[in-house]
Amino acid sequence: MRTGGVEGAKKSYNKLLSSVQSFGRYMFNVSEYDLVKNLFASDDFQSAAKSVCPADKQMLDPFQFNFIIQIPGQTVAMHLDAPYFWGASRFQFPQWLLATMKFSNLFQDRYVDQVQVVGYLHKWNDSKRDGNFVYWNTEDQKMQSIPPTPRYGVSVDGAKVLHAAAAYQPDTEMPFLDKSKDNLLQYQGEDKWILTSDGKTLSEYTTDDLRVTIVYRARCFATEEEIVKFRDMATGNGELLTLESILDTFKEDLIKRGRLTRGQEISSLDFAFMLMDEYTTYPLPPNAIIPVNYCMLGKLFPQTDVVFSKIC
């Protein structure tokens, strides 16, 4: 919101909010879908996935796959996927805290390497639509970009490589999606999709209008025994980290950094913001002359909305 995303867009809060609400379905039971299971077991797919895992951790533990669909005008904000640690996962702690744990490098000895493969299921192949997969994985942190070519895939460890999707058909004016409402993209048959918000139809699309991806995620382990041990731990049969121990680790580091004093009182909310501000850093839009989305001022200072609503 503050920077306008990868493109450094100058858009109002409502427009940006709508653009990051992609439509997805998340499945954590990969083995129950034979077609997907066979795809993930193919030699080419396995080779691509294992190329991301460390050389000494070539046993894959698939745990999730997603379908993500974007309508014209939407993007995927810059992010890290939910990290996994020995003793901590998204099923115990909020994802922002797990991402902060990864950014901080304070829990690196517990980090579980993983691989994410993003495959493209749409049939169109048109560079003018954009929607590229972008990531930052070099010493100089320059943004890298890969086009969403149909039937191709991109492999990364999405829990430690910052990544995003550039806006898909960025010049398209998309409908406003109120995040407090039930926004659905539903297939109606005969190549027709309908976008609704609380049951009200906002727009219609064909399959060719959509950017469609399947995302595979697996953890990387050295042995089958490690996989079993991790799964047992995740179900409560091992030593789990506590929220208190995680926050205490952060507090000790913040004291060393001079950001806190021992015994200092701080509210939970203020401490959460301190953690994100201290450890979670994202690169600025690479090609924006002004890397700040000044159109957000109308949201922060309502008295200025009259001015910014005319230019944003």
Side-chain angles (χ1 to χ4, degrees):
M1 293 296 177
R2 286 184 291 184
T3 65
V6 173
E7 294 82 11
K10 306 300 182 283
K11 292 184 178 181
S12 67
Y13 173 80
N14 285 343
K15 289 180 179 180
L16 275 180
L17 186 65
S18 300
S19 72
V20 297
Q21 295 184 68
S22 298
F23 299 89
R25 182 67 60 86
Y26 295 78
M27 277 73 75
F28 293 90
N29 47 350
V30 178
S31 61
E32 295 181 14
Y33 297 85
D34 289 340
L35 184 63
V36 174
K37 184 171 65 175
N38 292 337
L39 168 65
F40 293 164
S42 67
D43 290 341
D44 287 345
F45 196 96
Q46 287 281 306
S47 177
K50 289 181 178 181
S51 69
V52 174
C53 292
D56 60 343
K57 298 179 181 179
Q58 291 290 293
M59 298 298 299
L60 296 177
D61 178 27
F63 63 89
Q64 176 185 337
F65 74 96
N66 324 326
F67 291 106
I68 306 294
I69 298 179
Q70 292 164 292
I71 61 175
Q74 287 192 320
T75 183
V76 175
M78 191 188 311
H79 67 285
L80 287 180
D81 296 330
Y84 282 78
F85 298 88
W86 287 95
S89 76
R90 64 189 297 168
F91 300 106
Q92 302 160 262
F93 304 110
Q95 293 189 46
W96 72 263
L97 180 59
L98 295 168
T100 306
M101 290 169 65
K102 181 68 187 78
F103 270 113
S104 73
N105 287 319
L106 296 173
F107 304 86
Q108 193 59 29
D109 59 324
R110 289 180 170 268
Y111 178 71
V112 177
D113 293 284
Q114 60 177 275
V115 57
Q116 173 196 50
V117 182
V118 181
Y120 299 100
L121 302 181
H122 48 251
K123 294 183 178 180
W124 55 265
N125 189 9
D126 180 1
S127 61
K128 293 181 180 179
R129 299 195 191 193
D130 208 336
N132 286 8
F133 181 91
V134 297
Y135 66 98
W136 292 257
N137 192 29
T138 56
E139 290 183 3
D140 59 10
Q141 282 295 292
K142 286 186 178 180
M143 187 181 78
Q144 310 294 314
S145 180
I146 301 175
T149 306
R151 298 177 66 86
Y152 276 63
V154 180
S155 304
V156 296
D157 183 339
K160 61 185 178 185
V161 174
L162 280 171
H163 58 284
Y168 171 56
Q169 298 193 39
D171 296 329
T172 300
E173 192 72 28
M174 62 170 293
F176 169 59
L177 299 177
D178 187 332
K179 67 181 179 65
S180 65
K181 294 184 177 181
D182 188 17
N183 303 311
L184 298 173
L185 180 65
Q186 296 176 299
Y187 185 63
Q188 303 296 303
E190 298 183 352
D191 200 38
K192 181 180 178 181
W193 298 73
I194 290 185
L195 173 64
T196 62
S197 182
D198 274 358
K200 179 183 177 181
T201 298
L202 300 181
S203 190
E204 297 182 3
Y205 304 94
T206 66
T207 303
D208 185 67
D209 292 326
L210 308 174
R211 181 184 186 271
V212 186
T213 60
I214 182 172
V215 182
Y216 161 93
R217 293 184 65 191
R219 291 177 287 257
C220 310
F221 291 105
T223 64
E224 289 281 0
E225 288 75 16
E226 274 196 353
I227 294 176
V228 173
K229 182 179 178 182
F230 184 87
R231 290 180 177 179
D232 284 346
M233 178 212 63
T235 56
N237 295 323
E239 182 182 350
L240 299 176
L241 290 174
T242 65
L243 179 60
E244 182 180 16
S245 68
I246 292 171
L247 297 183
D248 283 347
T249 299
F250 278 124
K251 286 178 181 178
E252 287 299 319
D253 189 60
L254 289 169
I255 290 170
K256 291 178 183 177
R257 292 168 176 243
R259 297 282 282 112
L260 276 180
T261 57
R262 197 169 301 280
Q264 178 181 338
E265 293 291 330
I266 184 171
S267 71
S268 297
L269 181 60
D270 287 341
F271 188 56
F273 280 120
M274 177 181 286
L275 292 180
M276 288 186 281
D277 289 341
E278 184 71 16
Y279 298 107
T280 308
T281 56
Y282 290 92
L284 294 172
N287 300 316
I289 297 175
I290 302 175
V292 176
N293 180 23
Y294 48 74
C295 291
M296 275 291 293
L297 290 173
K299 178 70 173 178
L300 299 174
F301 305 100
Q303 64 271 25
T304 67
D305 191 50
V306 175
V307 175
F308 287 104
S309 63
K310 296 178 181 179
I311 61 176
C312 297

